[in-house]
Amino acid sequence: MKKISTLIVAIVLVWSSQTNVHAQAFEKDKNYFSFSYGFGAFYTAFFSSVEESIKQSASSDITISTSSLGPLSFKYERAVSDKVGLGLSVNYLSNTIKYTEQNVGNSGTATGNYNLNRNTLSILARMNLHFGDNDKFDPYWGLGIGYRTVNWKQTVTYSDGTTPTDVNELPTFTVIPFGFETVFGARYFLGPNFALFGELGLAKSVLQLGVTGKF
């Protein structure tokens, strides 16, 4: 009987120790792939404010609209230790403002279509410092430095086929190709390999929300 009791105790202790062993949310030698969409981008807000300003002051023969794509972000991270991850952050944002004016051109009866587009792409080396100790919640601070390009392009067309003479064409150009981001973020794992995440800070947008896969 004593041997049976000892065996039962041993089994319970082993089972208890196994049930308390959970993989950490951030594990050395694991790979993390993340996709996100951003909110609070400066130029999206700027283009929208320009649209509202023109709508309030423009005459009835002028229409204006804005559109945006992104910020869209892809991130890859390799856990080189239990606290440090190294990888890549790729981010894209496009903003467009369209302006239509009636009764323009040489004939004075044509429609003028003005299209101004800004798009930006950044490819950054990224380091994350993780300071959590949990199997589901993974808070971190991230820093990215690398390449960034910004392009502006304006196109103008008249419906009667004439060439506008009172509008200066903007050449496509790129500003200083340096990109930087610093954010605080956190992942919450819904399963062993799938998490929701958010980042807040200085990046393409103030807030990013997305999903992460762990492999």
Side-chain angles (χ1 to χ4, degrees), residues 200-212:
L200 186 67
L202 180 61
K204 278 283 186 290
S205 59
V206 175
L207 175 66
Q208 296 181 49
L209 298 175
V211 297
T212 297

Side-chain angles (χ1 to χ4, degrees), residues 181-200:
E181 64 182 15
T182 178
V183 299
F184 284 98
R187 302 179 181 124
Y188 185 81
F189 282 82
L190 303 178
N193 299 312
F194 178 78
L196 302 178
F197 86 95
E199 291 185 351
L200 186 67

Side-chain angles (χ1 to χ4, degrees), residues 99 101 103-106 112 114 154 156-158 162-169:
Y99 176 95
E101 184 177 8
N103 303 319
V104 296
N106 293 338
Y114 308 83
Q154 177 178 263
V156 182
T157 59
Y158 284 177
T162 60
T163 302
T165 59
D166 57 344
V167 178
N168 294 322
E169 288 288 339

Side-chain angles (χ1 to χ4, degrees), residues 102-122:
Q102 304 296 330
N103 303 319
V104 296
N106 293 338
S107 63
T109 58
T111 299
N113 298 296
Y114 308 83
N115 189 321
L116 177 64
N117 173 260
R118 176 188 185 271
N119 64 79
T120 174
L121 173 70
S122 62

Side-chain angles (χ1 to χ4, degrees), residues 25-41:
F26 189 73
E27 296 180 84
K28 182 181 178 181
D29 296 329
K30 292 293 186 178
N31 299 293
Y32 297 79
F33 297 87
S34 300
F35 298 90
S36 67
Y37 195 91
F39 302 89

Side-chain angles (χ1 to χ4, degrees), residues 1-144:
M1 187 69 180
K2 184 177 180 180
K3 291 183 178 179
I4 294 176
S5 299
T6 303
L7 179 61
I8 292 174
V9 171
I11 292 173
V12 171
L13 290 174
V14 171
W15 179 81
S16 298
S17 66
Q18 291 299 316
T19 55
N20 288 328
V21 174
H22 300 283
Q24 292 297 302
F26 189 73
E27 296 180 84
K28 182 181 178 181
D29 296 329
K30 292 293 186 178
N31 299 293
Y32 297 79
F33 297 87
S34 300
F35 298 90
S36 67
Y37 195 91
F39 302 89
F42 171 78
Y43 270 95
T44 300
F46 174 71
F47 272 48
S48 296
S49 67
V50 170
E51 176 187 6
E52 288 302 316
S53 177
I54 293 178
K55 281 182 176 179
Q56 293 176 7
S57 60
S59 61
S60 59
D61 62 349
I62 293 177
T63 59
I64 187 170
S65 64
T66 59
S67 61
S68 63
L69 175 63
L72 300 172
S73 298
F74 164 76
K75 297 176 177 63
Y76 166 72
E77 181 181 7
R78 172 75 174 180
V80 297
S81 76
D82 291 335
K83 298 297 182 182
V84 179
L86 300 177
L88 191 69
S89 176
V90 180
N91 310 276
Y92 176 80
L93 171 63
S94 177
N95 297 106
T96 301
I97 186 166
K98 295 181 179 180
Y99 176 95
T100 301
E101 184 177 8
Q102 304 296 330
N103 303 319
V104 296
N106 293 338
S107 63
T109 58
T111 299
N113 298 296
Y114 308 83
N115 189 321
L116 177 64
N117 173 260
R118 176 188 185 271
N119 64 79
T120 174
L121 173 70
S122 62
I123 304 175
L124 311 177
R126 177 76 176 258
M127 177 184 71
N128 291 340
L129 299 180
H130 298 258
F131 43 88
D133 188 17
N134 191 276
D135 62 327
K136 291 185 179 295
F137 187 63
D138 175 28
Y140 59 88
W141 169 69
L143 175 67

